[in-house]
Amino acid sequence: MKNILVVFDYSGTLSLKAPIFACPDNLLRELEQTGLTALGITTPSIFWEDIVNPSWQEGSTTQAGYKKVMEDRIRERMGRNSITFDETVISAAVCRFVDDYMSRSPIDDHWRGILSLLQDTPCTRTVIATDHYAEATEAIITHLKDLGIKAVRLRDALTKSVEKPAFMVANSADIGAHKSDRVFWTVIRNALGTDQFQNIVLVDDFGFNERTEDAYGDRETVKKRQQSTVNLVQEVFSGKVITIPFIAEVPDGGAFKLHSIDIDQQFGPLIERSSAMIADDLKKSVL
């Protein structure tokens, strides 16, 4: 049997409810219910333009965390507008929002079969590679555990004498670099302890399934990210890179409505096809 590395993206690929969380109707409801509306975050445009996009670089490449960068942006915004504020009220509202986001971004159950197969297949390593906030690492490990998959954070695999299971979570916030940066993949290679794989299977939406209001989902950026990611993986690892773009052929944002049935209809068949392609590659590896 030959070594196979499978790399999954998280938000918009394994987790389909993560982009749903940011749909305008749901986002407005979350802002209201968590108390952020009362702090001036009254519209999706304010949320994206004043809070998320300006703080994304720090939030996704440091251990600051989503909660801290969000609190900092809210304080700065309120200060500019000469609004007095209660620190405990801000912290409580932000904590509620971020905790809701993390807990409501599970891994879609349609992936359970192929993830279980990967866990049970010898000589196969699986990495969940994501550009995300620091809080996401433990959330992803917990969501994997809910599907019966044991995983460790990549940082622990590098620094501690821990058993290295078939799954590792590589988060840009832990690594200090995005997936578009060579160092991201170099750190993964070091954690795996080898760059020698017969095939590297890359399953990713490259940001396409994120909300278009999110700068990360900008379509031109998505195209460039896909090409640069594939190139970097090919440079860092020895083996054939097989790319499975996880992109549904629907209008921008059209697949991400507020009902689970929409997700099943749009992405259920895509998950099945992607899973079948991975399973076929695993089957060939034993020949």
Side-chain angles (χ1 to χ4, degrees):
M1 177 175 287
K2 302 177 178 67
N3 289 341
I4 302 294
L5 172 63
V6 181
V7 181
F8 285 100
D9 174 52
Y10 181 63
S11 180
T13 302
L14 287 181
S15 177
L16 302 177
K17 290 186 177 180
I20 284 181
F21 190 88
C23 287
D25 288 347
N26 189 68
L27 182 56
L28 280 171
R29 183 166 51 252
E30 283 290 330
L31 294 175
E32 176 67 32
Q33 291 177 349
T34 58
L36 289 176
T37 298
L39 298 174
I41 317 303
T42 56
T43 66
S45 62
I46 291 175
F47 173 76
W48 291 114
E49 295 170 16
D50 286 7
I51 306 301
V52 175
N53 291 339
S55 62
W56 171 245
Q57 180 67 28
E58 178 186 3
S60 60
T61 58
T62 74
Q63 287 292 293
Y66 197 7
K67 293 176 181 177
K68 181 183 183 302
V69 297
M70 182 178 283
E71 286 184 34
D72 288 346
R73 290 297 301 176
I74 291 173
R75 290 192 192 97
E76 181 182 335
R77 187 174 186 276
M78 296 177 81
R80 288 199 311 267
N81 296 324
S82 300
I83 299 173
T84 57
F85 51 87
D86 186 321
E87 289 283 346
T88 59
V89 172
I90 294 175
S91 295
V94 168
C95 283
R96 284 191 292 267
F97 182 88
V98 174
D99 289 346
D100 277 357
Y101 173 50
M102 294 299 167
S103 65
R104 296 181 187 180
S105 301
I107 295 171
D108 192 280
D109 195 64
H110 288 85
W111 288 111
R112 183 190 296 266
I114 191 63
L115 295 179
S116 296
L117 177 62
L118 287 167
Q119 181 170 246
D120 296 337
T121 302
C123 300
T124 299
R125 305 300 297 275
T126 302
V127 174
I128 315 303
T130 182
D131 289 338
H132 220 312
Y133 299 97
E135 294 93 338
T137 304
E138 286 304 319
I140 294 170
I141 291 173
T142 298
H143 292 316
L144 285 167
K145 185 178 179 180
D146 291 340
L147 296 181
I149 306 297
K150 181 181 178 181
V152 299
R153 63 169 63 214
L154 178 136
R155 190 172 63 181
D156 287 346
L158 280 168
T159 61
K160 298 180 181 179
S161 298
V162 298
E163 177 187 357
K164 296 183 181 180
F167 282 68
M168 289 193 293
V169 177
N171 184 351
S172 63
D174 295 330
I175 294 174
H178 288 143
K179 290 157 64 174
S180 59
D181 192 322
R182 182 186 179 91
V183 70
F184 183 93
W185 301 101
T186 301
V187 172
I188 290 177
R189 180 193 64 195
N190 294 341
L192 291 169
T194 180
D195 64 352
Q196 300 295 314
F197 293 95
Q198 176 70 16
N199 288 336
I200 302 99
V201 182
L202 192 61
V203 189
D204 203 319
D205 76 316
F206 302 102
F208 185 89
N209 294 331
E210 300 299 329
R211 298 296 306 174
T212 52
E213 300 92 333
D214 185 346
Y216 193 80
D218 175 76
R219 296 304 177 242
E220 286 303 313
T221 302
V222 167
K223 293 178 183 178
K224 294 177 182 178
R225 184 183 297 117
Q226 177 174 353
Q227 188 58 57
S228 66
T229 300
V230 172
N231 290 343
L232 287 170
V233 172
Q234 186 67 75
E235 290 172 11
V236 172
F237 292 96
S238 297
K240 178 183 178 181
V241 177
I242 300 171
T243 307
I244 304 178
F246 192 77
I247 298 173
E249 296 180 0
V250 294
D252 287 356
F256 291 104
K257 301 177 183 178
L258 296 180
H259 304 290
S260 295
I261 189 171
D262 297 312
I263 290 294
D264 290 342
Q265 291 174 349
Q266 296 289 356
F267 285 95
L270 183 56
I271 293 175
E272 291 177 6
R273 290 196 298 272
S274 301
S275 298
M277 293 175 68
I278 298 169
D280 185 59
D281 194 65
L282 294 179
K283 183 178 180 181
K284 292 177 181 177
S285 73
V286 304
L287 299 179

